[in-house]
């Protein structure tokens, strides 16, 4: 309730600002917010596609901490580190990117229900992750082109420049977090499956290097 009151207050302040500006300057606040919004979205997508399209989203190299000499212990720690890095940390980081991207789309795509936004974003991120294990160049193209296409569609949608409507849309963001845990589970399961399917490839490569 406090969040809704705050958003309403911000919206009222924005409308009041517009009302007191001279007619020739009423374009300035919407132009500023639109420019900042598109710039922030563009920066996010630049980071998003460079990060999410990599097969190994994290470059932690935790193997360097495996300093034991005992062969059995080395193998055990190697498996433990692999599970921790690629099947626990990576899915959580991917979920964080999914959450940020979903919030952007919730604000941009005012005509879409929250559940549909989450489905679209989860489907897109899942497709990017699947393609990353097939061909990283393909996943990079998907991670870059689809979000930019969504931005283009949003810009051409009537009501895009309704800043007051965009501010009101923020009040719906808590709905996202009510069901976000299910998408986290899905992302974890998907990443685990992809990693298990990729293990034979890693095993074959390590065998060739010997």
């Amino acid at each position: 309730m406090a969040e809704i009151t705050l958003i309403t207050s911000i919206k009222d302040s924005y409308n009041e600002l517009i009302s007191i500006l001279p007619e020739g300057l009423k374009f300035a606040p919407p132009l500023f917010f639109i420019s900042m919004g598109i710039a922030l979205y563009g920066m996010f997508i630049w980071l998003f596609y460079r990060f999410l399209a990599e097969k190994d989203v994290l470059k932690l190299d935790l193997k360097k901490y495996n300093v034991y000499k005992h062969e059995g212990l080395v193998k055990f720690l190697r498996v433990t580190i692999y599970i921790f890095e690629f099947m626990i940390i990576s899915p959580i980081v991917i979920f964080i990117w999914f959450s940020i991207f979903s919030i952007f789309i919730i604000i941009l795509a005012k005509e879409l229900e929250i559940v549909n936004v989450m489905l679209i974003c989860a489907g897109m991120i899942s497709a990017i992750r699947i393609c990353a294990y097939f061909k990283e160049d393909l996943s990079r193209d998907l991670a870059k082109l689809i979000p930019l296409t969504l931005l283009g569609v949003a810009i051409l949608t009537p009501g895009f420049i309704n800043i007051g409507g965009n501010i009101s849309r923020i009040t719906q963001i808590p709905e996202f977090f009510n069901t976000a845990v299910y998408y986290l589970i899905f992302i974890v399961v998907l990443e685990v499956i992809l990693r298990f399917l990729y293990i034979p490839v890693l095993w074959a490569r390590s065998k060739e290097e010997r």
Side-chain angles (χ1 to χ4, degrees):
M1 184 63 69
E3 293 84 356
I4 295 176
T5 303
L6 176 61
I7 297 299
T8 303
S9 176
I10 293 173
K11 182 179 177 181
D12 291 341
S13 299
Y14 174 81
N15 291 333
E16 184 178 350
L17 172 63
I18 294 294
S19 66
I20 63 176
L21 285 175
E23 193 64 33
L25 292 177
K26 289 185 184 295
F27 74 92
L31 178 59
F32 172 78
F33 285 112
I34 289 171
S35 301
M36 290 298 297
I38 293 175
L40 289 173
Y41 184 80
M43 294 174 193
F44 170 77
I45 295 305
W46 185 81
L47 295 170
F48 175 83
Y49 94 86
R50 292 167 65 90
F51 174 87
L52 200 65
E54 297 287 335
K55 185 164 48 264
D56 299 334
V57 295
L58 298 175
K59 308 292 185 183
L60 299 181
D61 192 22
L62 297 179
K63 296 188 294 295
K64 64 184 179 182
Y65 298 107
N66 189 358
V67 296
Y68 295 96
K69 303 298 183 181
H70 189 277
E71 184 177 351
L73 188 57
V74 167
K75 289 182 178 179
F76 171 76
L77 287 175
R78 187 179 299 164
V79 172
T80 303
I81 289 170
Y82 184 87
I83 292 173
F84 181 71
E85 181 174 355
F86 295 111
M87 299 183 186
I88 297 177
I89 298 180
S90 292
I92 291 175
V93 173
I94 292 169
F95 175 76
I96 292 172
W97 282 92
F98 159 73
S99 301
I100 297 172
F101 182 62
S102 297
I103 290 171
F104 268 114
I105 300 302
I106 287 171
I107 296 172
L108 287 174
K110 294 187 284 292
E111 302 299 322
L112 289 177
E113 297 289 335
I114 301 297
V115 64
N116 292 331
V117 170
M118 296 176 73
L119 283 172
I120 291 170
C121 294
M124 190 196 77
I125 287 178
S126 299
I128 292 169
R129 294 305 302 151
I130 292 169
C131 290
Y133 284 85
F134 171 71
K135 196 73 173 178
E136 288 186 347
D137 288 340
L138 172 60
S139 64
R140 289 190 193 99
D141 288 340
L142 282 178
K144 179 167 53 176
L145 294 177
I146 295 179
L148 292 177
T149 301
L150 291 174
L151 175 62
V153 171
I155 290 174
L156 297 176
T157 300
F160 174 76
I161 60 174
N162 181 5
I163 304 300
N166 292 334
I167 295 174
S168 298
R169 184 72 162 164
I170 296 174
T171 61
Q172 300 181 31
I173 290 176
E175 294 181 29
F176 165 82
F177 294 102
N178 291 336
T179 55
V181 64
Y182 302 110
Y183 291 88
L184 172 60
I185 294 171
F186 177 84
I187 290 172
V188 169
V189 171
L190 175 65
E191 200 67 22
V192 168
I193 292 172
L194 291 172
R195 272 289 156 182
F196 270 116
L197 293 175
Y198 189 65
I199 286 175
V201 178
L202 292 176
W203 181 78
R205 286 180 180 175
S206 63
K207 195 173 182 180
E208 290 176 359
E209 292 173 357
R210 291 175 183 174

